Amino acid sequence: MNENLFAPFICPTIMGISTLPIIMIFPCLIFTTPKRWLPNRIQMLQIWLIRLITKQMMTMHNNLGRTWALMLMTLILFIATTNLLGLLPYSFTPTTQLSMNISMAIPLWMATVLLGFRNKPKTSLAHFLPQGTPTLLIPMLIIIETISLFIQPLALAVRLTANITAGHLLIHLISSAALALVSINIVLSSVTLIVLFLLTILELAVAMIQAYVFTLLVSLYLHNNT
Amino acid sequence: MCKILDWTLGLKRIKIAQFLPSNGLKSMKMLQSLMKNVWIPMKPYYTKVYQEIWVGMGVMWYIMYKIRSADKKSKALKASGAPAHGHH
């Protein structure tokens, strides 16, 4: 039972070779490039969705921030599709791996910080001390702000990992409970199945929300530094 | 730009194709398609916009290297039977 509980979070291998790169590239197959002037329905839907998200995300940015539009849109689409594909039975979700989420969070966060120090060094340094701070609290607050800055990539990665992992674990547990209860009490099993159905709807929402939150926070860090 | 690239690669292809099997020609075509469709449109992003991201990626690779080497060292120490941390 314990071994089965963590089996979905082990990266699948074929003859000792990790299939993680293939799983990560797979969402690219869903988003096809339109070759014609008037694409088909699915492509039109994708284009409409991407334009909607781009407008939503990029409105608050200046010209320098908008150069990151491609990166941020790729990020949200990748995380959302990976999370949604992971809800399929017997599939593997790369975003349950902390290593992958940290690998996404650290370069992006560091890029925003370096961008801030490169383009607006005074403003970037000023972020370490909030306006109106009493003089006696200045040293302590600078330390606190520095720690909060360095915690940002860890928080980004751990938030995504924990939310997706917890959801998958819950689905696994409740489905196992529903299956075990079928032979014991059919009514209780039906109630558990209804709970499972509602949880799956919640997980669909969480999958998309977590992608949005991750990208929004990166966008916010970018906005603070540009 | 794409025409110059096509012409240059086309000439090189004729020279190289004499010595390469048909697989070589296909890989040249693939490389040409990659250059035309990926590198040329994305060049301003990779060279100018994403400079800080490359630095961030370098830092992340360094962190990964340090974690992996520490893991290898601790496994080697465990395998040799020595204590992982020295006794004072």
Side-chain angles (χ1 to χ4, degrees):
Chain A
M1 174 66 187
N2 284 337
E3 195 187 303
N4 286 338
L5 208 58
F6 294 104
F9 304 112
I10 298 166
C11 184
T13 54
I14 295 175
M15 291 192 288
I17 303 165
S18 172
T19 53
L20 192 61
I22 301 166
I23 296 165
M24 284 171 67
I25 290 168
F26 182 71
C28 294
L29 296 173
I30 298 169
F31 295 101
T32 50
T33 318
K35 297 284 180 201
R36 297 190 180 149
W37 181 73
L38 198 65
N40 59 35
R41 280 192 194 122
I42 294 172
Q43 284 172 350
M44 288 292 277
L45 191 67
Q46 286 173 0
I47 290 166
W48 169 80
L49 190 69
I50 291 166
R51 279 189 184 159
L52 182 74
I53 301 167
T54 313
K55 271 186 213 169
Q56 256 276 339
M57 286 247 157
M58 294 293 132
T59 317
M60 63 170 174
H61 288 289
N62 55 16
N63 286 337
L64 184 60
R66 283 175 190 176
T67 54
W68 276 52
L70 208 65
M71 174 58 77
L72 292 173
M73 288 309 109
T74 314
L75 190 67
I76 192 170
L77 288 173
F78 172 69
I79 299 174
T81 45
T82 314
N83 289 346
L84 288 169
L85 283 169
L87 287 171
L88 295 169
Y90 296 106
S91 64
F92 173 73
T93 320
T95 43
T96 53
Q97 307 298 307
L98 185 66
S99 55
M100 187 179 127
N101 296 332
I102 279 188
S103 305
M104 284 195 297
I106 288 181
L108 291 169
W109 163 82
M110 189 159 287
T112 58
V113 169
L114 289 173
L115 201 68
F117 278 112
R118 196 178 169 187
N119 295 315
K120 292 182 184 176
K122 280 186 192 168
T123 319
S124 298
L125 282 169
H127 282 136
F128 285 107
L129 191 66
Q131 224 171 8
T133 313
T135 319
L136 284 170
L137 286 175
I138 288 172
M140 198 175 80
L141 219 58
I142 288 175
I143 294 167
I144 290 169
E145 288 291 327
T146 312
I147 293 168
S148 76
L149 178 74
F150 283 101
I151 283 223
Q152 281 173 356
L154 289 173
L156 270 176
V158 171
R159 184 186 300 111
L160 182 59
T161 311
N163 272 291
I164 304 300
T165 311
H168 286 207
L169 262 175
L170 264 174
I171 287 174
H172 193 110
L173 283 168
I174 292 177
S175 56
S176 307
L179 189 68
L181 284 169
V182 159
S183 53
I184 300 165
N185 188 339
I186 199 86
V187 172
L188 204 58
S189 176
S190 312
V191 169
T192 318
L193 272 173
I194 292 167
V195 170
L196 180 64
F197 176 68
L198 293 170
L199 183 67
T200 310
I201 295 170
L202 174 73
E203 281 309 307
L204 278 166
V206 163
M208 290 184 281
I209 287 165
Q210 285 307 312
Y212 179 66
V213 162
F214 194 103
T215 314
L216 189 71
L217 283 169
V218 172
S219 167
L220 203 69
Y221 301 152
L222 181 69
H223 180 68
N224 287 342
N225 287 297
T226 51
Chain B
M1 180 70 187
C2 297
K3 282 184 184 171
I4 296 166
L5 198 67
D6 278 348
W7 182 77
T8 326
L9 281 172
L11 275 180
K12 280 189 182 163
R13 205 169 50 205
I14 294 165
K15 280 186 190 171
I16 295 165
Q18 293 168 359
F19 308 102
L20 287 173
S22 60
N23 288 340
L25 202 64
K26 281 177 189 169
S27 53
M28 283 289 284
K29 269 190 179 169
M30 198 169 77
L31 194 67
Q32 192 184 1
S33 165
L34 209 71
M35 288 285 282
K36 197 171 157 183
N37 295 319
V38 178
W39 175 250
I40 287 167
M42 292 297 289
K43 193 179 166 189
Y45 288 95
Y46 292 153
T47 51
K48 289 175 194 165
V49 178
Y50 297 160
Q51 283 172 353
E52 290 88 6
I53 294 180
W54 295 125
V55 173
M57 277 177 76
V59 168
M60 204 231 8
W61 282 338
Y62 178 71
I63 293 168
M64 268 178 61
Y65 163 74
K66 290 303 261 185
I67 292 171
R68 267 193 196 159
S69 65
D71 187 42
K72 272 183 192 170
K73 270 183 197 168
S74 74
K75 277 182 182 167
L77 275 167
K78 273 183 190 170
S80 67
H85 298 285
H87 294 292
H88 297 285

